[in-house]
């Protein structure tokens, strides 16, 4: 009996720590690694495989963040140069050309906002927030408010139909609204 209890602990303890490591990795702690020195051979191999997966995931996420930040920074300079050239052209342009140049300036402004959004995403991804309970109706209302102007430009009207129930969901703070980052 004592031997079976000891054997059960020898197997279950490393599984519990592997489970805890998986939970932390799932919460966004990308540096999390499992203990590979405890338990039977199969569990140690599982821990090694987990660590390999965690390392690849960490490398992919950091690579993704670096690419977004780099592309965003690289796009800012040509957009600024285009804006300046259009300003110079607009200064001496006739009315019809000035209208076309103003439309081009609007598109450059839109692209600049997109680039700024990419930079904000890259910066926000530098820290991995812990999940917090958030009311779904609040998240939906903020998303509708954020996307309504874009939808209206395309002749689409966004509405929310709620039955009054307001369940909560666990989201990382700052991932669902601008006001939640304060």
């Amino acid at each position: 009996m004592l031997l079976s209890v000891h054997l059960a602990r020898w197997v279950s303890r490393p599984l519990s720590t592997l489970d805890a490591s998986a939970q932390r990795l799932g919460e966004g702690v990308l540096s999390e690694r499992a203990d590979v020195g405890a338990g039977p051979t199969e569990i140690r191999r599982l821990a090694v495989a987990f660590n390999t997966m965690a390392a690849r995931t960490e490398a992919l996420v950091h690579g993704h963040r670096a690419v977004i930040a780099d592309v965003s920074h690289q796009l800012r300079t040509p957009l600024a140069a285009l804006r300046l050239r259009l300003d110079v052209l607009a200064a001496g342009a006739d009315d019809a050309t000035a209208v076309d140049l103003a439309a081009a300036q609007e598109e450059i402004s839109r692209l600049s906002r997109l680039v700024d959004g990419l930079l904000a995403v890259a910066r926000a991804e530098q820290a991995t927030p812990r999940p917090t309970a958030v009311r779904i109706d609040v998240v939906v209302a903020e998303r509708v408010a954020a996307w309504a102007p874009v939808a209206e430009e395309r002749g689409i009207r966004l509405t929310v139909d709620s039955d009054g129930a307001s369940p909560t969901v666990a989201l990382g703070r700052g991932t669902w609204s601008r006001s939640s980052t304060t």
Side-chain angles (χ1 to χ4, degrees):
M1 175 73 166
L2 187 60
L3 180 62
S4 62
V5 170
H6 179 66
L7 183 62
R9 285 185 183 158
W10 181 64
V11 171
S12 66
R13 197 170 284 138
L15 283 175
S16 294
T17 60
L18 183 59
D19 178 55
S21 291
Q23 289 289 332
R24 284 190 294 279
L25 182 66
E27 290 172 356
V29 181
L30 297 176
S31 61
E32 181 64 32
R33 299 298 182 268
D35 179 13
V36 296
T41 305
E42 294 82 4
I43 294 176
R44 289 192 306 252
R45 278 197 314 254
L46 181 61
V48 168
F50 173 86
N51 289 346
T52 301
M53 177 203 60
R56 286 182 180 160
T57 301
E58 183 178 25
L60 286 170
V61 169
H62 289 307
H64 169 76
R65 290 174 182 168
V67 166
I68 287 176
D70 186 50
V71 167
S72 299
H73 282 294
Q74 294 297 326
L75 285 173
R76 281 186 146 195
T77 302
L79 284 173
L82 276 172
R83 181 178 290 124
L84 289 173
R85 285 180 185 222
L86 288 175
D87 285 343
V88 169
L89 289 173
D94 59 50
D95 289 343
T97 305
V99 168
D100 288 338
L101 291 172
Q105 282 282 30
E106 268 306 307
E107 291 302 315
I108 288 176
S109 293
R110 200 173 95 190
L111 284 171
S112 292
R113 287 190 301 273
L114 286 171
V115 168
D116 290 343
L118 283 173
L119 280 171
V121 166
R123 288 183 188 123
E125 286 183 343
Q126 294 302 321
T128 306
R130 288 199 152 269
T132 314
V134 178
R135 289 180 35 187
I136 292 175
D137 62 336
V138 173
V139 175
V140 171
E142 283 206 12
R143 293 298 86 209
V144 166
W147 285 101
V150 176
E152 287 173 9
E153 285 179 4
R154 290 167 176 76
I156 300 169
R157 186 170 162 248
L158 298 178
T159 60
V160 178
D161 185 19
S162 175
D163 61 1
S166 184
T168 60
V169 65
L171 294 176
R173 193 147 179 80
T175 59
W176 60 276
S177 78
R178 291 184 188 134
S179 63
S180 66
T181 59
T182 56

